[in-house]
Amino acid sequence: MKRYLLILFVAFCALPLSQAAQQPQQQGAPPQRPPQARPTRKQVLAWGDQRYGVQHDSVTRALVTMERLGRESGAYDLYIRTDSQLITKQPITMAGNTRPTTNKNLNYFDAIFFYGVREIELTDQQRADLMSFIKEDGKGFVAAHTATTAFFSWPEFGEMIGARFDDHPWGVIEAPVVIDDPLFPAMKHFPKTSVIKDEHYQLKDFSRDKIRVLAHLDVSKLDMKNPRVHRTDNDFPVAWSKMYGKGRVFYGTLGHAAEFWDDPNVQKMYFEALKWSLGMSEGETKPLAVK
């Protein structure tokens, strides 16, 4: 009997150990996420942080509209964020832990669609990463309406986007918009002049030597005696394109109210601008002669 039990014990010890038993996991080591395969379609981050500005209900409509247009056309995948966590090239981990919370950061995306407001909290590293995303990496940046109100305390952002907000003297009105570059992809669907209802902006700190104005307001139909009108040159751009280093930048003033994003002309303008920023179409950025 003893000999029989000894044989069983020897046989049991000879069985192969499981992989888990052979390679015990180190205590406290965070589980590693497998590398994420690169999608074949272009990837867009929709960034709508408006925590410290006037709440614009249009942001929701704008972001879901841009997501839908990309999905239905197959042109791109779009991820919506109303915070600024992904504005970084650094690993993103849980507070107090080294475990990664997401495989996505600026390195994952090909362009940003930005509808932010006023001062947004970014670290110095985040600011550097955002600028290099556009300037050095050659990624796209498309911005809507309130984007020129953002980051007044950050001069480089103003240089990148091309202008600063300087009031909306007339509020929401119907105003004639004249197309300067009918060949630009985001302008092709507009007639030469069209009346567009929106909260039309007055802008400052821009130069037509540095941006290609694609559309502007016809001031002959506006109340230029309004005391909130600060410009004396009658120059009120509505949309422009420019380069910032290697990156393509587009800005449009349109899209103040949620229902304005149901307008096919507004949808197509930003959709075509985003495709252009992704390198899926071609359009000029060289400044036009002064109008």
Side-chain angles (χ1 to χ4, degrees):
M1 183 64 179
K2 290 182 179 180
R3 183 180 178 184
Y4 176 73
L5 292 175
L6 179 62
I7 292 172
L8 286 177
F9 176 76
V10 172
F12 176 79
C13 291
L15 289 174
L17 294 174
S18 68
Q19 186 175 2
Q22 293 178 49
Q23 299 177 352
Q25 191 173 37
Q26 294 181 358
Q27 293 295 321
Q32 297 298 312
R33 289 174 177 261
Q36 192 168 22
R38 182 67 186 170
T40 55
R41 287 199 288 199
K42 298 289 188 178
Q43 302 297 296
V44 176
L45 173 62
W47 179 24
D49 195 329
Q50 53 176 342
R51 288 172 292 171
Y52 303 111
V54 176
Q55 176 75 33
H56 280 63
D57 294 338
S58 52
V59 172
T60 298
R61 189 78 57 86
L63 302 191
V64 299
T65 295
M66 297 307 296
E67 189 280 333
R68 176 180 59 79
L69 293 173
R71 174 168 38 85
E72 291 179 350
S73 67
Y76 55 79
D77 296 323
L78 182 143
Y79 295 82
I80 294 175
R81 294 295 293 259
T82 55
D83 61 82
S84 299
Q85 184 188 42
L86 301 190
I87 307 301
T88 181
K89 293 183 178 181
Q90 315 310 312
I92 299 173
T93 58
M94 297 174 63
N97 201 334
T98 58
R99 179 180 179 182
T101 60
T102 176
N103 283 322
K104 295 180 178 64
N105 60 16
L106 287 178
N107 296 322
Y108 181 83
F109 295 102
D110 301 295
I112 289 172
F113 177 77
F114 178 62
Y115 199 159
V117 184
R118 300 296 178 175
E119 295 297 331
I120 299 169
E121 290 181 0
L122 294 181
T123 66
D124 290 343
Q125 183 64 60
Q126 283 183 293
R127 291 185 176 198
D129 288 349
L130 175 60
M131 290 297 108
S132 69
F133 171 85
I134 306 164
K135 194 172 186 178
E136 278 84 43
D137 300 345
K139 306 293 183 69
F141 192 86
V142 174
H145 196 55
T146 58
T148 49
T149 77
F151 298 112
F152 270 100
S153 65
W154 185 12
E156 190 174 3
F157 184 86
E159 178 187 352
M160 181 276 294
I161 200 168
R164 295 291 197 181
F165 170 76
D166 188 28
D167 210 342
H168 36 70
W170 311 281
V172 176
I173 61 168
E174 292 185 343
V177 174
V178 180
I179 302 303
D180 294 69
D181 183 359
L183 298 180
F184 193 86
M187 299 291 113
K188 286 183 177 181
H189 61 287
F190 285 107
K192 177 60 179 176
T193 301
S194 56
V195 175
I196 298 177
K197 184 178 181 180
D198 214 307
E199 183 184 63
H200 295 287
Y201 274 8
Q202 173 177 242
L203 297 158
K204 64 180 180 179
D205 300 339
F206 72 87
S207 169
R208 280 180 172 257
D209 293 333
K210 296 182 179 180
I211 62 176
R212 185 180 183 88
V213 175
L214 306 173
H216 69 274
L217 293 177
D218 178 1
V219 297
S220 68
K221 307 297 183 182
L222 300 178
D223 175 15
M224 299 304 290
K225 294 182 180 180
N226 186 311
R228 292 164 65 187
V229 174
H230 306 146
R231 297 201 68 88
T232 58
D233 59 2
N234 294 337
D235 199 3
F236 295 82
V238 171
W240 63 77
S241 62
K242 68 185 296 285
M243 297 297 295
Y244 187 64
K246 298 178 182 178
R248 297 180 174 190
V249 177
F250 176 94
Y251 170 75
T253 64
L254 304 181
H256 167 70
E259 60 269 23
F260 297 164
W261 286 89
D262 296 332
D263 182 342
N265 285 329
V266 173
Q267 292 183 6
K268 191 169 181 63
M269 183 183 79
Y270 285 113
F271 176 62
E272 292 297 337
L274 192 48
K275 287 168 56 182
W276 168 79
S277 79
L278 290 163
M280 302 173 71
S281 63
E282 293 303 320
E284 283 288 345
T285 57
K286 182 180 179 181
L288 289 165
V290 177
K291 69 181 183 68

